[in-house]
Amino acid sequence: MTSFWICRTCAVEHATRPEVCAICADERQWVPASGQSWTTLDELAAEGRHIEVEELEPDLFGLQTTPGVGIGQQAKLLRTPAGSLLWDPLGFVDDDGAAAVRDLAGIAGVVAVAASHPHMFGVQVEWSRRLAGDAGPVPVLVAEADAGWVARPDDSIVPWSGEREVLPGVTLSQPGGHFPGSAVVHWAAGAGGRGVLLSGDTIFANPDRTASFLRSYPNRIPLSGAVALRVAGHVARRPFDRMYNNFDGVIPADARAVVLRSARRHAAWVRGDFDHLT
């Protein structure tokens, strides 16, 4: 018997199967012209899905579902001696994928599952259960401001706001923007001690190694210049040399300065400073 449903378009888990996925019906996402479609973990597995893991840098790993599911994000497993954080969890999990994560996390285990924003919830509760240790399911940290988007309530879900040190030197914070609770992870020991930012798409690493600030990525709705500057200023409070988005995008060096420059560029364009070029 199916215990929960997964939206085919965003791959977020739902306790019930509504007429339409509220996350996809919002202007920041989309419902296909063909209409709403649902699936299950068993169906996805039968279609040949599996999880691939790659090392991005020491103690940071990218997880990808192949073939892709939903939005197709690359989850991140951030490992420290005190435990690991699973960030932007995939919309698919199987026994092999969970075992791979447990093996990478080692004896300290996964201490938390968290998403940058509701589009990245994936099957977060299912990951929590599959990674359960002696203390039970892994806590799923959900921003209070975005808790209304949770479609599969569970006792493992822990609301948070502001800032939260998940592990020593690993801090969640909420610059907002894309969603009111949009979050990032600052990892002080990353990039050889120069600092890493896991930005989800709160700040998006572009192909030219600049950054974007959008309300909707698929529908190309910008944030205001003031919000872009606020978000950049928030993350710039801590040093970071490298930034990873929620796919395979990365700003490999000087990322803090790049984010600040990109926010100023964004603000100038939406303000009309460069209208003479159009």
Side-chain angles (χ1 to χ4, degrees), residues 231-246:
V231 169
H234 175 102
V235 301
R237 297 174 303 155
R238 293 183 171 91
F240 60 97
D241 189 55
R242 190 171 297 143
M243 187 183 88
Y244 296 89
N245 68 15
N246 51 341

Side-chain angles (χ1 to χ4, degrees), residues 109-135:
V110 176
V111 303
V113 175
S116 55
H117 65 290
H119 294 155
M120 299 292 107
F121 283 169
V123 292
Q124 58 185 3
V125 169
E126 195 63 21
W127 275 104
S128 164
R129 295 179 179 183
R130 301 282 183 117
L131 297 174
D134 293 341

Side-chain angles (χ1 to χ4, degrees), residues 4 6 11 13 41 50-53 62-65 73 75-77 86-102 110 112-114 120-133 136-140 152 154 156:
F4 66 96
I6 302 168
E13 60 189 355
L41 282 182
H50 64 280
I51 294 172
E52 297 182 351
V53 181
L63 284 68
Q64 196 84 37
T65 303
Q73 69 260 34
K76 306 294 192 293
L77 182 72
L86 180 61
W87 176 245
D88 283 344
L90 301 174
F92 174 78
V93 60
D94 59 8
D95 290 342
D96 289 343
V101 168
R102 284 196 300 270
V110 176
V113 175
M120 299 292 107
F121 283 169
V123 292
Q124 58 185 3
V125 169
E126 195 63 21
W127 275 104
S128 164
R129 295 179 179 183
R130 301 282 183 117
L131 297 174
V138 175
V140 177
R152 188 187 181 192
D154 191 77
S156 64

Side-chain angles (χ1 to χ4, degrees), residues 22-95:
I23 288 175
C24 290
D26 179 74
E27 69 177 0
R28 285 162 287 198
Q29 189 37 29
W30 56 286
V31 177
S34 57
Q36 178 68 48
S37 180
W38 299 96
T39 187
T40 66
L41 282 182
D42 288 343
E43 286 180 356
L44 292 174
E47 293 166 2
R49 263 74 175 188
H50 64 280
I51 294 172
E52 297 182 351
V53 181
E54 64 172 315
E55 186 178 45
L56 304 177
E57 62 176 82
D59 292 322
L60 184 66
F61 303 89
L63 284 68
Q64 196 84 37
T65 303
T66 303
V69 173
I71 294 172
Q73 69 260 34
Q74 181 190 72
K76 306 294 192 293
L77 182 72
L78 195 170
R79 182 174 64 189
T80 80
S84 298
L85 168 68
L86 180 61
W87 176 245
D88 283 344
L90 301 174
F92 174 78
V93 60
D94 59 8
D95 290 342

Side-chain angles (χ1 to χ4, degrees), residues 184-203:
V184 298
V185 176
H186 182 264
W187 176 31
R194 298 183 302 278
V196 160
L197 189 74
L198 304 182
S199 65
D201 56 14
T202 302
I203 307 171

